[in-house]
Amino acid sequence: MAKALKDKPQVIIVGAGFGGLEAAKKLACKDVRLTAIDRTNYHLFQPLLYQVATAALSPADIAAPVRAILSKCENVEVILAEVESVNVEARKVKTNDMEFDYDYLILATGARHSYFGHDEWEKLAPGLKSLEDAVELRRRILLAFEFAEKTPDEADRQAAMNFVVIGGGPTGVEMAGAIAEISRYTLAKDFRHIDPSKARVILIEGTSRLLSAYPADLSERARKQLVELGVEVRTDARVTDITESGVQLDGEFIPCRVKIWAAGNNASFVGKTLIAPVDRVGRVIVNDDLTIPGHPEVQIIGDLANFSHQTGEPLPGVSPVAMQQGRHAARNILRMVHGEKPQPFRYFDKGSMATIG
Ligand SMILES: Cc1cc2nc3c(=O)[nH]c(=O)nc-3n(C[C@H](O)[C@H](O)[C@H](O)COP(=O)(O)OP(=O)(O)OC[C@H]3O[C@@H](n4cnc5c(N)ncnc54)[C@H](O)[C@@H]3O)c2cc1C
């Protein structure tokens, strides 16, 4: 006889991003009770945030309601809540206002920006991780052009038309390319007292090349394409201070109103509450089957996980890793429910890309 829903093993997935949502889709309509908890009620397609930030897309274009995605299967419930901690010994997840018991847990709360100990820079140079971040950046970018159009002061006008992007990884490269493109093309004819195509877009990277996780020839190609779009690329350049009026590099001050931070990530704080080993950016160091030591019922996936069993280095923080791990973690749970052991994970790398302009 089929078990009543309440007698089935309780699975909790925290985070309905790329990893968590894939896991949830795999466990929907299966022989488990599934609770998916996220602090937002939508799944966010982060790779296109830069298009919202530069007004090419609207927020609804890149956010899909989690409830609607998972509503077909009765074994799934969706809870909107901020998770504060996990007690692995008691098998409980604590949110801001509730507590949930689990038999199996998948933790997929991703990452946030890191300001390398300069949290005071966050207000001055927002990063790009959430819809709120993207809308705020869009506001700042468009208002900078509006301010430049009105101000009688030449220095203020130039500062308003200087856009500094800090960090030459995929997010910084895409953001710089998109700002250059809207200033050269989209906005080019919309103003009377300024020429938006004269905006300076300056991309600052601390290492010797852009896209340092990509092969060197792709870094060089990205640099050339950005330069063709009019972006000033500064490599080996270190930001030493950020103020309202601009960005200080070693030996140079760039006056600017809009600064964008794309330079570093820290894993979500929830990982640290597990009392499992974490690396220097807070990622939970997982076993080869995505579980944590001593707790096969707990799996960590995506940007929150440090999985170093394949190449000796942690897998990159990209969506295919999170999605493949999400599907694998779900399959592991179904195995364990049937009395089998979780299986080791292997990543299949289909390659990477970044969009310029
Ligand atoms: C601007 C940008 C551009 C990117 N471009 C690319 C790209 O081109 N290609 C690519 O492959 N990857 C790209 N990435 C990386 C990719 O988006 C991540 O690797 C991927 O999102 C990781 O998936 P995840 O499931 O681990 O975390 P996420 O997708 O970040 O999901 C985490 C989820 O957890 C929720 N959450 C977090 N904390 C809590 C909490 N305390 N309580 C409840 N819920 C919580 C969040 O709301 C979110 O829904 C980009 C990332 C960014 C920010």
Side-chain angles (χ1 to χ4, degrees), residues 316-330:
V318 290
S319 54
V321 170
M323 292 169 82
Q324 290 179 32
Q325 289 184 335
R327 291 193 288 268
H328 187 85

Side-chain angles (χ1 to χ4, degrees), residues 132-175:
E132 289 80 8
D133 295 336
V135 170
E136 173 60 16
L137 282 175
R138 168 155 79 177
R139 190 184 70 80
R140 290 187 188 201
I141 292 166
L142 296 179
L143 284 183
F145 285 108
E146 296 296 344
F147 175 84
E149 173 83 345
K150 280 196 308 196
T151 182
D153 185 287
E154 183 48 38
D156 284 350
R157 179 181 305 136
Q158 190 49 59
M161 289 178 62
N162 289 347
F163 297 88
V164 175
V165 181
I166 303 156
T171 301
V173 163
E174 289 177 341
M175 207 49 217

Side-chain angles (χ1 to χ4, degrees), residues 39-54 57-65 112-113 126-139:
R39 63 178 168 207
T40 69
N41 61 358
Y42 52 83
H43 168 73
L44 181 64
F45 194 83
Q46 291 178 7
L48 288 179
L49 274 172
Y50 78 99
Q51 298 237 8
V52 173
T54 51
L57 291 176
S58 69
D61 295 332
I62 65 163
R112 279 294 293 169
H113 345 276
L128 188 59
K129 279 276 180 208
S130 65
L131 266 190
E132 289 80 8
D133 295 336
V135 170
E136 173 60 16
L137 282 175
R138 168 155 79 177
R139 190 184 70 80

Side-chain angles (χ1 to χ4, degrees), residues 15 17-19 38-39 46-47 81-83 108-110 128 302-303 317-320 322:
F18 279 102
D38 200 294
R39 63 178 168 207
Q46 291 178 7
E82 171 104 28
V83 167
T109 46
L128 188 59
D303 285 4
V318 290
S319 54

